[in-house]
Amino acid sequence: MTQQHATAGVPPLRVAQIGYAFMGAAHSLAWRTAPRVFDLPRGAEMTVICGRTASATEAAAHKLGWAEWSTDWRELVARDDIDIVDVCTPGDSHAEIAIAALEAGKHVLCEKPLGNTVAEAEEMTAVAEAAAARGVRSMVGFNYRRLPALSLARQMVADGRLGEVRHIRAKYQQDWIVDPAFPLAWRLQKDKAGSGALGDIGAHIIDLAQFVTGQKLVGVSATTETFIKQRPLPAASSGLAASGGQAAEMGEVTVDDAAVFFGRTEGGALATFEATRFATGRKNGMGIEVNGSAGSFFFDFESMNELHVYDGTVPARDAGFRRILVTEPDHPYLSGWWPPGHVLGYEHTFTHEVADFLSDIGSDRDPSPSFREGLQVQRVLDAVERSSAAESRWTPIPTS
Ligand code: SOE
């Protein structure tokens, strides 16, 4: 069934989505939901989904609500009846697909991080900016910018409510690979993922630090660690383990398990970051705190509908962190949802991302985060990896 989300008299934009796993499922929900929740200048038609294997892709099309399915993304990019290409694949194919789609005149939404290297991100940005001159729009999927609480925080900082930003403190903690038996999945292979926790979840907190403060990082000092350096190969681990055979064949983990780094922003603020997949017990523990000369805020994704704000201008006897429940109709994105107190979830950030993308296309506006903003994050990721590899970054402490 083709789902038409026609906006009065204007044909919907026809979408081809490449990828159907976790991000593909989240994006599919967003394409289905955004035109039904927000009043948008253009709707979306879920025309075709693409994957590597026919049977799995066909099943995904039926489950996720796509009219057609394909295993040939190059054919989709060339179709005249496709307006948008949504890239939900591992990082090693972002550049090839996004560049081909932009050069074919398709608007592109590309998952984060933009590419696997700075060189890829630079090429993608150049192609995107040339395409923008032809009215072709592009966005990179830093979905956490679309958390209402963090959009509110950005507004507060921009309005001067925190004064001069002095500290940014950001963390993203997961624990899904603490078990040494977890196989050597694509996210643990540099040639596919580009990097490990750093590029996967560190990219989010780097982008958020720059988004909420409006300040770019201008330098970092870093260390990364791979705690488990070899893991069972996926095919071997599932096959032999199931058959009770010999130990699975092992493969090298070629990415970081954790990255810890600090930086300085162009405004002189000090920033500290931790991105790890080894914070046992933390499932998706993302948080950020900003301290300014006139106040602070902190945010914890596990309480994603709340923003905690400290107003430093209140007399100390009456001061304290105040909890804002970010569910009022005039809070960012809430106009489309429920009455106050009816909280939102992770998937809403993707619906907001798609709604903004459709609005920008319909209004002939360049979306944000742009590929150039994605390139800035890529440059920070690269600087973290180079800093971590440099000998000079570390001053040993005698332990005798
Ligand atoms: C895996 O770490 C992952 O799916 C990330 O790739 C997403 O960007 C994040 O939102 C949730 O965790």
Side-chain angles (χ1 to χ4, degrees), residues 3-319:
Q3 297 168 337
Q4 295 274 2
H5 308 304
T7 300
V10 179
L13 292 161
R14 298 153 300 183
V15 184
Q17 180 178 295
I18 323 293
Y20 55 77
F22 179 1
M23 287 301 112
H27 283 227
S28 298
L29 191 69
W31 290 115
R32 197 160 58 246
T33 309
R36 291 191 165 103
V37 170
F38 295 95
D39 297 325
L40 303 174
R42 297 298 294 272
E45 176 184 291
M46 299 172 69
T47 306
V48 57
I49 191 166
C50 184
R52 274 184 289 235
T53 53
S55 57
T57 307
E58 181 178 13
H62 292 300
K63 179 176 181 182
L64 300 176
W66 292 85
E68 304 168 37
W69 59 272
S70 168
T71 56
D72 182 351
W73 67 262
R74 289 176 181 80
E75 183 257 340
L76 302 186
V77 161
R79 278 173 54 166
D80 292 336
D81 64 339
I82 293 297
D83 303 302
I84 292 174
V85 171
D86 183 7
V87 184
C88 297
T89 60
D92 62 338
S93 56
H94 287 187
E96 184 181 17
I97 298 172
I99 289 170
L102 288 163
E103 289 179 341
K106 313 305 182 189
H107 307 295
V108 172
L109 173 57
C110 182
E111 260 297 323
K112 41 52 65 182
L114 185 59
N116 275 0
T117 64
V118 168
E120 283 183 354
E122 284 174 338
E123 185 183 6
M124 295 168 82
T125 300
V127 171
E129 291 177 346
R134 305 193 303 275
V136 177
R137 305 300 166 199
S138 47
M139 179 196 270
V140 58
F142 286 111
N143 59 298
Y144 290 123
R145 288 187 175 205
R146 267 87 188 181
L147 283 157
L150 289 185
S151 284
L152 179 63
R154 174 185 167 89
Q155 286 171 7
M156 286 183 164
V157 175
D159 294 345
R161 300 273 297 279
L162 271 62
E164 187 178 347
V165 175
R166 298 270 164 71
H167 283 285
I168 306 164
R169 206 165 291 109
K171 65 160 181 122
Y172 202 150
Q173 301 160 324
Q174 296 179 339
D175 70 355
W176 53 283
I177 58 169
V178 166
D179 182 351
F182 187 92
L184 193 67
W186 70 265
R187 286 189 190 281
L188 307 182
Q189 301 170 40
K190 187 172 184 63
D191 60 334
K192 294 185 173 61
S195 60
L198 175 62
D200 182 25
I201 51 181
H204 277 301
I205 51 177
I206 290 166
D207 178 67
L208 286 175
Q210 299 182 134
F211 171 67
V212 297
T213 63
Q215 297 187 30
K216 292 189 179 70
L217 286 161
V218 294
V220 289
S221 183
T223 191
T224 60
E225 183 55 69
T226 302
F227 295 110
I228 296 177
K229 302 193 186 328
Q230 289 204 332
R231 290 184 180 268
L233 296 184
S237 62
S238 55
L240 283 177
S243 64
Q246 298 301 316
E249 189 183 343
M250 304 296 278
E252 282 299 313
V253 175
T254 51
V255 298
D256 59 279
D257 289 332
V260 175
F261 51 106
F262 66 88
R264 190 184 290 275
T265 69
E266 58 194 330
L270 295 180
T272 57
F273 300 87
E274 178 195 22
T276 180
R277 291 166 167 163
F278 274 73
T280 308
R282 293 290 183 186
K283 302 308 172 184
N284 200 48
M286 186 269 281
I288 185 167
E289 176 169 329
V290 174
N291 308 131
S293 57
S296 297
F297 79 78
F298 74 83
F299 169 84
D300 178 348
F301 179 70
E302 290 182 3
S303 304
M304 65 165 265
N305 295 276
E306 303 175 9
L307 184 68
H308 300 265
V309 180
Y310 184 95
D311 180 347
T313 65
V314 169
R317 56 175 290 129
D318 300 330

